[in-house]
Amino acid sequence: MTTKVALFLAHALAMENEAADRYDELADTMEIHNNQEVAELFRQMANFSRLHGASVASRASPYDLPRLKSWQYRWNTPEPPEVGAPGATHYMMTPWHALAFALENEKRGYRFYADEAAGSGDKDVRALAAEMAAEEEEHVAELERWLARTPKPDADWADDPDEALVAD
């Protein structure tokens, strides 16, 4: 049981847990803005991330995973790949936007695992990463199908006739 596998799994577990946390935060934000449909989609995405995290945790059970500090993670993106940029959301976003956001997160997750599968010097990491990349590829395909069935919003989707104003 190599240290490199444990380090890889620590990254994979952190990525899934952070993604679930971010989706929950986004769902909370959408609920505050009374955007219930998108809040529910983000709750589903959080649940999917938790399920994938449980799968990673199961694979990691034979290993003593390192407890890394935030600056010790080595991602191929500024944040964990499946977390997504907070600036990529909007309080009036539609289900189509939420699914597109999730799709980009899954694509980055796939690239993270595919890069590890192609570039690791450890054969066990390569095999595990390739298996996880294949799972992410399935997630990408499912989100693409889901997005294709979801109506794309009109160009004026962000127009707010009752914009919040703060009086000085």
Side-chain angles (χ1 to χ4, degrees), residues 112-133:
F112 171 76
Y113 290 129
D115 289 350
E116 289 294 314
S120 176
D122 185 286
K123 69 176 179 57
D124 295 329
V125 170
R126 284 193 310 272
L128 193 54
E131 185 180 313
M132 294 168 93

Side-chain angles (χ1 to χ4, degrees), residues 31-47:
E31 285 175 357
I32 288 167
H33 290 287
N34 201 29
N35 191 341
Q36 299 303 325
E37 191 175 15
V38 173
E40 180 56 35
L41 274 173
F42 281 142
R43 294 270 181 240
Q44 287 179 317
M45 294 302 126
N47 186 48

Side-chain angles (χ1 to χ4, degrees), residues 137-154:
E137 200 167 31
E138 290 173 16
H139 300 166
V140 166
E142 181 58 35
L143 280 167
E144 286 173 338
R145 286 189 293 275
W146 199 354
L147 189 60
R149 294 188 306 264
T150 303
K152 192 169 182 177
D154 293 332

Side-chain angles (χ1 to χ4, degrees), residues 14-26 42 45 49 75-90 93 97-112 136:
M15 179 171 67
E16 295 300 337
N17 289 338
E18 290 289 326
D21 289 347
R22 178 64 57 86
Y23 282 128
D24 278 335
E25 290 169 2
L26 290 170
F42 281 142
M45 294 302 126
S49 291
W75 306 112
N76 59 350
T77 54
E79 291 196 62
E82 287 192 13
V83 168
T89 61
H90 187 282
M93 69 192 304
H97 294 106
L99 291 169
F101 177 82
L103 176 59
E104 289 307 310
N105 292 343
E106 291 299 317
K107 285 179 178 179
R108 281 191 306 277
Y110 165 77
R111 282 191 297 273
F112 171 76
E136 292 298 328

